[in-house]
Amino acid sequence: MRLVLMGPPGAGKGTQALVIAGVLGVPHVSTGDIFRANVSRGTPLGIEAKRYMDAGDYVPDGVTNAMVRDRLSQDDCRPGFLLDGYPRTVEQVSELDAMLRSDGLRLDAVVELEVDIDEVVGRLVKRAADQGRSDDSEAVIRRRLEVYGEQTAPLLAVYRDQGLLVAVDGLGKVDEVTGRILAALSIER
Ligand code: AMP
């Protein structure tokens, strides 16, 4: 299965993506995780990405698309993948579509985790305290939510029009939300 998991920062995408990818036996491809790994290793990609991440802005499409193209071309992604945090812009949607189309492939579904924004801010503030992520200060959290609303939320309509969007209530215990996602996709655990 080729899936995309969407939702605002703090919706629980990373947590759910890990579980769902495990159930499906496909790689969990998180652009945020790949960027963070590059930041820790101090690679040129990490040095470039950090400037944007620390401000709560998106890393430029050219950089992000090249990174995803490289990751999805690896053998483990051949049977399928779960994308977490990509695509996030209209240009990334077209680029992903082109990457898949050139191999005669398409997405099976785009899962939207629906959450209340106040709940999300609370979760992000807590995560900042627990994990000390440098992009989790309150001002940056606000900026990230604003960027999501401007650049990523409009993609939901694009995928809805393509008949790919599956909206799932993201509120509740991790296991409950996982159950809803699997049920919405008709996947048995
Ligand atoms: P995440 O962990 O998915 O919230 O991503 C953390 C940060 O990495 C984001 O706030 C962006 O700065 C950057 N990032 C992750 N995915 C993308 C993407 N698809 N396009 C641009 N920037 C991204």
Side-chain angles (χ1 to χ4, degrees):
M1 253 194 148
R2 291 174 187 85
L3 294 178
V4 168
L5 196 54
M6 281 186 65
K13 289 190 300 294
T15 307
Q16 292 300 333
L18 262 179
V19 183
I20 305 291
V23 172
L24 291 173
V26 296
H28 166 213
V29 178
S30 157
T31 42
D33 284 353
I34 302 174
F35 283 134
R36 278 185 289 278
N38 277 277
V39 170
S40 325
R41 293 203 308 269
T43 67
L45 173 65
I47 291 165
E48 160 137 42
K50 189 174 187 328
R51 292 183 6 228
Y52 298 96
M53 295 169 78
D54 282 354
D57 289 325
Y58 287 166
V59 178
D61 284 332
V63 175
T64 308
N65 285 332
M67 182 179 87
V68 172
R69 183 180 282 279
D70 178 62
R71 180 66 190 89
L72 294 188
S73 70
Q74 289 167 21
D75 278 350
D76 63 331
C77 289
R78 210 170 289 167
F81 50 77
L82 196 166
L83 279 168
D84 160 15
Y86 181 95
R88 264 170 147 120
T89 66
V90 173
E91 196 184 316
Q92 292 178 15
V93 169
S94 326
E95 186 68 19
L96 174 61
D97 191 50
M99 282 179 222
L100 293 174
R101 210 165 350 107
S102 67
D103 288 329
L105 302 171
R106 59 190 295 277
L107 289 173
D108 292 295
V110 175
V111 176
E112 174 196 5
L113 277 183
E114 291 182 307
V115 287
D116 179 76
I117 286 302
D118 290 335
E119 165 81 18
V120 155
V121 173
R123 284 190 199 179
L124 289 170
V125 170
K126 186 175 178 306
R127 183 170 75 187
D130 294 348
Q131 300 179 3
R133 266 176 58 164
S134 58
D135 60 349
D136 270 351
S137 75
E138 202 172 327
V140 176
I141 288 169
R142 258 196 229 113
R143 174 69 191 145
R144 291 170 66 212
L145 287 167
E146 189 179 274
V147 172
Y148 178 82
E150 283 168 6
Q151 300 204 46
T152 305
L155 309 186
L156 296 169
V158 174
Y159 283 129
R160 189 175 298 119
D161 289 348
Q162 293 180 15
L164 288 174
L165 194 70
V166 179
V168 172
D169 179 4
L171 220 63
K173 297 212 178 75
V174 170
D175 212 44
E176 286 167 4
V177 178
T178 305
R180 282 180 212 140
I181 297 173
L182 294 174
L185 296 171
S186 308
I187 294 167
E188 286 186 29
R189 226 191 259 241

